[in-house]
């Protein structure tokens, strides 16, 4: 993404963020949530001219305003139990003029925003799952309210509704909205009287499809012959406004209801990992409707001083989120860690959802340790779905990381075709996880609407900051790398060629092999309405080897740093190579095989073969070679032969790293033709699943019990074992310390929870220890509603206990 100077760098700047003083009621975070602050602000680095804006401008203030959903926003319910239907009653104070209330004035004595989950507003706006008391709306859609007045409403009275957001609201920036009742407002805002009965005034209010998203203060102003009245601001009357994929006038509009149900309203999903041949999957709790998560999402925008006036633009909002979900630059949500040492935080594999991470960030303002790509992507899905953007989590297998904008993956070998790791700066990740979000792109020419890539994993900088996207899938598919944002980097991730360079006797390097189908071999996401995976590779690239695909690659590489990279290529290839690895479980012996095939029908071929085996992080960073094999193979015309290398558990055990992945580098030389063979193959060791069983029926407000069973697959003791349990509407994030688990031992534990919302729910668990990670389990829980109620949010289901020590219910041998 370091694609040179740009004309579209940043548009914002802000003074250093100051932490709000309002404490949050959210659960205690993990210990040692540390922060790192940069010397210059996020927006100042993004655009130097913006950093000089006057501090008097409301969009460039010194810190987040309390009314915008910042860290203290979690307490805005004022102590009311969720699920109640608050009606704000006037204080008898006039906030206008001299404050006097005169006889005959039209005094607003109360407001009913009809904001409970069972009311019409929340149901029609698809926000009834939010565990909030306040009114939550989607823009571009009408809602209803009732004003309680001191006297009957008369035709000569004027009623004006007002919404404010930001430190110094201004009409011109959309941060101060004025809506005269019975008259057309500006920008799509308007309000009409639907019923006037006695001292009650029923209104239907239309919001603008371009409205700013965030938490607004609401008040009412009246004018009558007796004078002006202004209702004082009441925190109970705060209104959240979100993007609206149900509104055709909103640029985030999605025209398929099944897509909206999956990509906006679904609170859990599947994330895929591993290798293309050995795909693993895990369930992730997005939890976008959990109490506190919406405030955390708005706090992220506040934290980096994004101007309120720009928060109606999903292009800008998604780009900010891609930057702020990682901690680099300016102390964002998650600290990335690929070192293998997670002793000062949480192993990325141990997280089961986004809620604990977001609530910790909201409460402390400190970056949460630690995340890797699927955690960044899972949190990004939670945030964007919460704000109203249709978003999905996408996995790209064999994902390239191009460090020099050449749009090729360059791998260097010595004269004997042994990898030269000190020169191999480009890498191929076994898998990489990012996000697609749906929107129109009015900032681009026509044809680039629809799915846009957003990647919050910090890999390379874009305009000087660690962010990526939004980038149209159409520009990626056709190699249009000059389209913003960050198309060159993402194109290389899915459709670059792997170029093998061999050092010659004179020290120069020569291209000996180009692998054209090695990158972006499979791109998947969770299917709509099921837990199956959906192949979306065709949305990112034309069929491999097709004329359109080759044209896209040529178009892209022409704009790269090595436009003539293929000029030195020469090859004569009649020996084919294929690598096979058996499906192996962590703790067991395994074997890898190389199959050589002579495609010549008339001549024999003699192949000098080298096999180098090493462990590898999923990011493509490899350890030292711990086993190698050399063999000469003679192939008759049209014949095949297999070379097998057995690997014992005791051989690979000392070298294992996260994810249990290994890399086999295969190289060879054909004596008769001079053909050079080169192949890299990654495979992984499977880990066991947790088995979850529900013990009894689940009902809102009633205690329920779940049983978790795990068998240690290793012959060694697992120490300091930690379980995590989480499920939206079922269980707030919970941490269970269970101590040690012996070699090949089976353990069982039971936990109780109290469901707080009805319907089908996912309860997700994970296990982590220094010796074994990436162990997960999930169970669907169908929750019946409480008798005579849609469900009440209770502390019993919402508690979060950190560091609880849990005794085992039973233990068993192998």
């Amino acid at each position: 993404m370091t694609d040179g100077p740009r004309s579209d760098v940043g548009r914002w700047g802000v003074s250093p963020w100051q932490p709000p003083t309002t404490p949050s009621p959210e659960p205690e975070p993990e210990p040692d949530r540390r922060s790192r602050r940069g010397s210059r602000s996020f927006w100042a680095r993004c655009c130097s001219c913006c950093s000089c804006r006057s501090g008097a401008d409301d969009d460039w203030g010194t810190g987040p305003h309390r009314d915008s959903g910042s860290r203290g926003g979690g307490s805005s319910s004022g102590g009311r139990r969720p699920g109640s239907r608050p009606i704000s009653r006037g204080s008898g104070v006039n906030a206008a003029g001299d404050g006097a209330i005169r006889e005959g004035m039209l005094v607003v004595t109360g407001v009913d925003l009809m904001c409970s989950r069972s009311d019409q507003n929340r149901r029609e706006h698809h926000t009834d799952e939010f565990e909030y008391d306040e009114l939550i709306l989607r823009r571009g859609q009408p809602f209803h309210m009732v004003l309680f007045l001191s006297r009957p409403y008369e035709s000569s009275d004027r009623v004006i509704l007002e919404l404010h957001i930001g430190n110094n609201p201004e009409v011109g920036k959309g941060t101060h909205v004025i809506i005269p009742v019975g008259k057309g407002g500006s920008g799509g805002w308007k309000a009409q009287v639907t019923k006037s009965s006695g001292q009650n005034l029923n209104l239907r209010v239309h919001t603008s499809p371009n409205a700013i998203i965030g938490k607004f203060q609401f008040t009412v102003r009246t004018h009558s012959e007796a004078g002006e009245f202004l209702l004082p601001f009441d925190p109970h009357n705060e209104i959240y406004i979100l993007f609206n994929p149900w509104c055709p006038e909103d640029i985030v509009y999605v025209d398929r209801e099944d897509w909206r149900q999956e990509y906006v309203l679904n609170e859990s999903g599947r994330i895929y990992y591993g290798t293309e041949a050995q795909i693993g999957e895990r369930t992730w709790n997005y939890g976008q409707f959990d109490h506190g998560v919406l405030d955390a999402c708005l706090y992220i925008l506040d934290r980096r001083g994004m101007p309120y006036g720009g928060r109606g633009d999903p292009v800008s909002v998604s780009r900010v989120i891609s930057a702020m979900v990682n901690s680099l630059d300016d102390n964002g949500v998650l600290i990335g860690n690929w070192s293998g040492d997670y002793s000062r935080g949480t192993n990325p594999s141990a997280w089961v959802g986004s809620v604990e991470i977001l609530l910790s960030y909201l409460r402390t303002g400190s970056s949460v340790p630690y995340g890797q790509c699927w955690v960044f992507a899972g949190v990004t899905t939670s945030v964007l779905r919460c704000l109203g953007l249709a978003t999905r989590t996408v996995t790209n297998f064999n994902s390239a990381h191009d460090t020099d904008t050449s749009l090729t993956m360059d791998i260097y070998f010595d004269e004997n075709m042994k990898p030269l790791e000190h020169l191999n700066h480009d890498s191929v990740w076994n898998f990489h996880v990012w996000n697609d979000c749906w929107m129109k792109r009015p900032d681009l020419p026509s044809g680039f609407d629809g799915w846009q890539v957003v990647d919050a994993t910090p890999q390379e900088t874009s305009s000087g900051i660690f962010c990526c996207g939004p980038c149209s899938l159409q520009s990626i598919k056709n190699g249009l790398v000059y389209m913003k944002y960050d198309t060159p980097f993402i194109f290389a991730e899915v459709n670059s060629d792997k170029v093998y360079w061999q050092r010659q006797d004179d020290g120069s390097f020569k291209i000996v092999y180009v692998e054209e189908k090695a990158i972006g071999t499979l791109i998947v996401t969770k299917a709509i309405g099921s837990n199956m995976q959906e192949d979306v590779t065709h949305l990112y690239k034309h069929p491999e080897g097709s004329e359109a695909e080759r044209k896209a690659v040529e178009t892209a590489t022409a704009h790269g740093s090595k436009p003539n990279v293929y000029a030195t290529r020469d090859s004569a290839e009649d020996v084919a190579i294929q690598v096979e690895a058996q499906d192996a479980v962590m703790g067991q012996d395994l074997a890898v095989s190389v199959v050589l095939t002579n495609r010549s029908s008339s001549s024999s071929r003699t192949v000098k073969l080298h096999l180098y085996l090493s462990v590898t992080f999923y990011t493509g960073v490899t350890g030292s070679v711990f086993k190698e094999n050399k063999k000469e193979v003679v192939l008759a015309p049209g014949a095949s032969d297999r070379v097998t290398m057995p690997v014992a558990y005791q051989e690979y055990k000392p070298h294992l790293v996260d994810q249990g992945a290994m890399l086999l580098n295969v190289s060879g030389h054909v004596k008769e033709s001079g053909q050079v063979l080169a192949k890299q193959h990654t495979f992984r060791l499977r880990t066991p699943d947790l088995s979850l069983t529900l013990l009894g029926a689940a009902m809102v407000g009633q205690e329920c019990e779940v049983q978790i069973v795990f068998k240690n697959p290793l012959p060694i003791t697992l120490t300091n074992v930690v379980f995590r349990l989480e499920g939206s509407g079922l269980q707030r994030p919970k941490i269970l310390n269970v101590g040690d688990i012996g070699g090949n031992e089976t353990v069982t534990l039971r936990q109780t929870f109290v469901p707080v919302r009805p319907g089908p729910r996912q309860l997700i668990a994970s296990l982590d220890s220094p010796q074994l990670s990436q162990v997960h389990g999930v169970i669907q829980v169908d929750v019946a509603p409480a008798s005579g109620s849609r469900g009440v949010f209770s502390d019993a289901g919402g508690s979060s206990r950190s560091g609880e020590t849990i005794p085992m219910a039973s233990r068993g041998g192998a």
Side-chain angles (χ1 to χ4, degrees), residues 274-323:
T275 67
E276 179 190 4
Q278 298 169 298
I279 297 176
E281 61 183 54
R282 55 177 299 164
T283 303
W284 190 266
N285 181 42
Y286 296 124
Q288 67 265 34
F289 303 134
D290 278 28
H291 184 65
V293 170
L294 176 54
D295 289 305
C297 296
L298 297 178
Y299 170 61
I300 291 171
L301 302 181
D302 291 340
R303 183 59 184 269
R304 277 287 56 88
M306 184 181 185
Y308 297 106
R311 299 188 190 189
D313 176 15
V315 175
S316 301
V317 169
S318 61
R319 187 156 171 80
V320 170
I321 296 303
S322 81

Side-chain angles (χ1 to χ4, degrees), residues 575-736:
V575 175
I577 186 170
Q578 182 178 352
V579 179
E580 299 174 354
Q582 70 183 57
D583 192 22
V585 176
M586 184 80 71
Q588 296 182 355
D589 297 344
L590 59 95
V592 290
S593 300
V594 177
V595 179
L596 299 170
T597 302
N598 182 6
R599 293 186 295 202
S600 172
S601 58
S602 58
S603 304
S604 297
R605 292 289 183 256
T606 304
V607 182
K608 188 175 182 181
L609 196 65
H610 297 256
L611 279 62
Y612 302 98
L613 186 63
S614 59
V615 295
T616 179
F617 289 93
Y618 85 95
T619 57
V621 176
T622 61
S624 58
V625 173
F626 68 86
K627 186 165 188 176
E628 58 183 276
N629 190 10
K630 299 180 180 180
K631 188 173 183 179
E632 187 169 282
V633 180
V634 178
L635 299 170
S640 297
D641 199 1
R642 178 186 300 268
V643 176
T644 299
M645 182 166 67
V647 185
Y649 168 65
Q650 294 300 327
E651 288 182 290
Y652 68 74
K653 171 190 169 184
H655 307 281
L656 278 176
V657 294
D658 282 354
Q659 313 269 339
M662 298 188 194
L663 174 67
L664 181 67
N665 269 296
V666 182
S667 61
H669 182 267
V670 181
K671 181 179 179 181
E672 292 80 4
S673 65
Q675 177 187 349
V676 174
L677 303 175
K679 184 79 172 179
Q680 292 184 315
H681 181 80
T682 304
F683 60 97
R684 71 179 183 94
L685 303 171
R686 288 192 297 107
T687 51
D689 295 326
L690 297 177
S691 174
L692 277 66
T693 305
L694 195 65
L695 305 178
M699 178 180 291
V700 169
Q702 300 295 316
E703 190 173 84
C704 189
E705 189 174 29
V706 64
Q707 176 176 279
I708 305 173
V709 179
F710 166 73
K711 180 178 180 180
N712 179 6
L714 302 180
I716 60 174
T717 297
L718 305 181
T719 60
N720 301 318
V721 177
V722 175
F723 283 83
R724 271 182 160 79
L725 196 64
E726 181 177 326
S728 286
L730 296 175
Q731 172 66 58
R732 297 285 261 189
K734 189 174 187 179
I735 301 173
L736 312 172

